[in-house]
Amino acid sequence: SQKIEQNSEALNIQEGKTATLTCNYTNYSPAYLQWYRQDPGRGPVFLLLIRENEKEKRKERLKVTFDTTLKQSLFHITASQPADSATYLCALDGDAGNNRKLIWGLGTSLAVNP
Amino acid sequence: DGGITQSPKYLFRKEGQNVTLSCEQNLNHDAMYWYRQDPGQGLRLIYYSQIVNDFQKGDIAEGYSVSREKKESFPLTVTSAQKNPTAFYLCASTDSGPAYGYTFGSGTRLTVV
């Protein structure tokens, strides 16, 4: 069955360092991969989307890579700040333009310490 | 500003009662979704709708019902048949074309008392 795995353990890093979060998937060939941020008690907020034919995408301090051979996406936050502390969710989209049902990972909790 | 509004933020339900969660969007999005989020579990899809007057069951539709009479509105009813309704409920919308992220509401936390 289709499966998405994100780092289950919380990631703690020092302010100013680069945070790297991992999203691995199996039994699936997504057309798109998306990353979201979720704060406690709030809905997820869309951050970035990367297509299967793109290797890398950047937005300000964020960078996402997508390796369809390894079936893995890496999400990087450079020059991290305490305000970046949140849970980050990975989601796969295989039917873009059709039913648009996403498959979600459980998320990785990131804590950036001042 | 455009967005999705969910109400109420907190809802308490007695055993055997039906309750309805509201979801309204002014983004002109065609597709709308209802998810349930429980601790330690990912987002699970309850129902989704890609167009007015049409909706499909998601992965955990039992004990829930929806309607889509207007493009802007996608209310979710949690019926008494839902055995474990205590959860955080999230509504989302997106454009129906490819390569668009979802916009989520702020959620409704439902507790059975």
Side-chain angles (χ1 to χ4, degrees):
Chain A
S1 61
Q2 299 163 346
K3 191 175 179 182
I4 300 179
E5 288 186 348
Q6 295 187 249
N7 317 54
S8 57
E9 294 186 8
L11 181 62
N12 284 273
I13 65 168
Q14 205 64 30
E15 182 176 6
K17 301 293 186 184
T18 296
T20 299
L21 284 66
T22 304
C23 176
N24 296 300
Y25 59 92
T26 57
N27 299 325
Y28 199 59
S29 296
Y32 304 86
L33 189 145
Q34 304 184 23
W35 283 89
Y36 290 76
R37 167 187 173 137
Q38 187 174 24
D39 292 284
R42 308 293 299 271
V45 175
F46 171 70
L47 296 174
L48 280 169
L49 179 149
I50 187 166
R51 294 171 174 79
E52 61 179 337
N53 61 352
E54 296 176 318
K55 296 295 184 185
E56 180 180 300
K57 182 164 272 189
R58 293 174 184 263
K59 179 183 176 183
E60 299 174 350
R61 294 185 296 111
L62 309 180
K63 184 179 83 171
V64 172
T65 63
F66 193 9
D67 189 326
T68 55
T69 301
L70 292 178
K71 293 186 180 296
Q72 180 181 79
S73 174
L74 298 179
F75 177 80
H76 306 273
I77 305 175
T78 59
S80 60
Q81 305 165 0
D84 295 325
S85 299
T87 296
Y88 291 85
L89 304 175
C90 165
L92 304 183
D93 183 347
D95 287 320
N98 195 1
N99 61 29
R100 298 297 321 278
K101 288 170 61 178
L102 295 182
I103 300 173
W104 295 85
L106 297 183
T108 297
S109 175
L110 171 67
V112 181
N113 304 307
Chain B
D1 287 335
I4 294 185
T5 301
Q6 288 188 242
S7 63
K9 189 170 179 64
Y10 298 97
L11 186 58
F12 297 89
R13 190 194 93 169
K14 292 183 179 179
E15 295 276 359
Q17 276 185 337
N18 293 353
V19 290
T20 298
L21 283 59
S22 171
C23 178
E24 303 278 334
Q25 54 102 355
N26 60 2
L27 300 164
N28 200 34
H29 285 167
D30 290 314
M32 297 187 74
Y33 305 81
W34 274 106
Y35 286 94
R36 170 178 173 145
Q37 190 173 37
D38 297 280
Q41 300 200 44
L43 293 172
R44 292 187 290 167
L45 183 63
I46 303 172
Y47 268 98
Y48 64 103
S49 168
Q50 292 179 282
I51 196 169
V52 174
N53 293 322
D54 187 48
F55 49 83
Q56 287 79 40
K57 292 182 179 180
D59 302 317
I60 56 166
E62 185 175 350
Y64 300 97
S65 66
V66 294
S67 63
R68 187 85 186 276
E69 298 176 0
K70 299 186 298 182
K71 187 175 186 178
E72 303 79 21
S73 180
F74 191 40
L76 173 74
T77 296
V78 183
T79 74
S80 57
Q82 170 49 236
K83 298 306 179 188
N84 185 22
T86 295
F88 188 48
Y89 290 87
L90 288 160
C91 179
S93 71
T94 187
D95 277 324
S96 56
Y100 290 100
Y102 284 19
T103 300
F104 280 85
S106 56
T108 293
R109 187 165 298 280
L110 173 63
T111 303
V112 173
V113 296

